[in-house]
């Protein structure tokens, strides 16, 4: 099965872990148009320092031609839901028209506003509803920032995707290794630095 993840850094993280469940040849991630180039010289999706060479070389794909080819040829697209106001090219209505309802599988965007997640899941009839992670595991699933979940929530999301697609999840040893490894948290701390810089920039612009 060839899977393309489409969205923000949450879906990129899913792609990273899925490349270990399947293989790097079966998994790709493409950046949704609303996150690409938000600021001048903003190339976070292709930053080797941020994601590591293996992710950038084998998972991240930029460019409309490559993106369309991947989305056309893959078996499944796992995407976050963007409406027409947020995303012109990658909103879920356009994706379903272009690539077919059966190929497009929607997943919730993690956010600290749980009620907002629940409302969006109902409004857009999202297929994989990650809000349940926070209601089922309130002591383990946490948000590190308003839109950066902890590694437990990420791995539970991946388990939900696996169940939806009937793919085997990590065994207990692999799961514990990923739960305790530094890769995800290193990305988070880098994101924290970006958030800090963004806040400073906005303050200076006022």
């Amino acid at each position: 099965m060839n899977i393309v993840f489409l969205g923000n850094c949450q879906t990129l993280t899913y792609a990273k872990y899925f490349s270990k469940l399947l293989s790097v040849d079966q998994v790709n991630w493409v950046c949704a148009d609303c996150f690409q180039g938000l600021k001048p010289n903003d190339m976070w999706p292709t930053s080797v320092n941020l994601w590591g060479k293996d992710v950038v070389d084998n998972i991240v794909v930029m460019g409309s031609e490559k993106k369309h080819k991947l989305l056309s040829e893959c078996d499944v697209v796992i995407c976050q839901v963007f409406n027409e106001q947020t995303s012109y090219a990658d909103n879920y209505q356009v994706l379903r028209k272009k690539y077919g309802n059966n190929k497009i599988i929607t997943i919730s965007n993690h956010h600290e506003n749980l009620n907002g997640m629940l409302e969006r899941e109902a409004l857009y009839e999202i297929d994989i509803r990650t809000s349940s992670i926070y209601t089922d595991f309130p002591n383990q699933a946490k948000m590190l920032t308003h839109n950066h979940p902890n590694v437990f929530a990420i791995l539970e999301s991946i388990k939900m995707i696996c169940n939806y697609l009937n793919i085997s999840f990590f065994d207990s040893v692999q799961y514990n290794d990923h739960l305790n490894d530094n890769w995800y948290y290193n990305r988070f701390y880098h994101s924290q630095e970006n958030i800090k810089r963004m806040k400073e920039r906005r303050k200076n612009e006022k």
Side-chain angles (χ1 to χ4, degrees):
M1 178 180 287
N2 292 313
I3 303 174
V4 171
F5 290 88
L6 186 150
N8 63 12
C9 53
Q10 293 176 20
T11 50
L12 193 158
T13 305
Y14 300 154
K16 163 72 175 180
Y17 285 111
F18 255 86
S19 70
K20 296 177 182 297
L21 280 168
L22 302 175
S23 76
V24 292
D25 297 328
Q26 293 174 278
V27 180
N28 279 282
W29 174 83
V30 293
C31 185
D33 64 338
C34 51
F35 294 107
Q36 189 171 337
L38 286 175
K39 302 184 288 294
N41 304 315
D42 182 1
M43 292 303 292
W44 66 266
T46 53
S47 170
V48 173
N49 289 335
L50 176 56
W51 299 109
K53 194 170 187 307
D54 61 324
V55 175
V56 171
D57 284 353
N58 296 316
I59 295 176
V60 177
V61 173
M62 305 289 278
S64 56
E65 287 182 19
K66 286 183 182 177
K67 181 174 174 179
H68 176 66
K69 183 172 166 42
L70 276 174
L71 292 170
S72 298
E73 295 178 357
C74 71
D75 299 305
V76 172
V77 178
I78 309 285
C79 67
Q80 292 161 319
V81 170
F82 307 109
N83 59 34
E84 291 174 346
Q85 289 73 38
T86 305
S87 170
Y88 173 75
D90 294 327
N91 70 74
Y92 77 115
Q93 296 100 326
V94 167
L95 291 173
R96 282 181 167 156
K97 279 178 191 170
K98 266 190 183 179
Y99 305 109
N101 280 332
N102 295 334
K103 181 184 279 197
I104 305 299
I105 297 169
T106 53
I107 188 168
S108 314
N109 189 22
H110 289 267
H111 199 276
E112 65 182 1
N113 182 349
L114 182 57
N115 287 334
M117 284 182 70
L118 289 164
E119 286 171 11
R120 282 179 63 82
E121 287 171 348
L123 177 64
Y124 295 112
E125 299 180 341
I126 289 175
D127 299 310
I128 301 172
R129 304 186 178 195
T130 57
S131 63
S132 63
I133 296 168
Y134 300 95
T135 54
D136 292 347
F137 306 101
N139 297 322
Q140 294 140 292
K142 304 290 182 186
M143 293 300 297
L144 303 174
T145 69
H146 72 285
N147 64 350
H148 288 91
N150 67 0
V151 71
F152 177 88
I154 287 288
L155 290 172
E156 286 301 310
S157 303
I158 290 166
K159 188 188 291 182
M160 292 177 78
I161 298 169
C162 285
N163 289 339
Y164 196 95
L165 298 177
N166 198 24
I167 292 172
S168 296
F169 185 59
F170 297 116
D171 63 33
S172 58
V173 173
Q174 293 169 324
Y175 175 84
N176 285 322
D177 284 346
H178 291 309
L179 193 61
N180 297 304
D181 72 14
N182 290 323
W183 183 86
Y184 180 78
Y185 284 104
N186 287 344
R187 309 290 73 73
F188 163 67
Y189 288 126
H190 196 292
S191 296
Q192 282 286 76
E193 288 304 310
N194 286 339
I195 290 164
K196 216 181 290 179
R197 282 197 294 271
M198 198 184 300
K199 283 180 180 173
E200 284 299 315
R201 186 181 301 171
R202 283 175 182 165
K203 200 190 299 178
N204 294 334
E205 286 171 355
K206 287 179 180 177

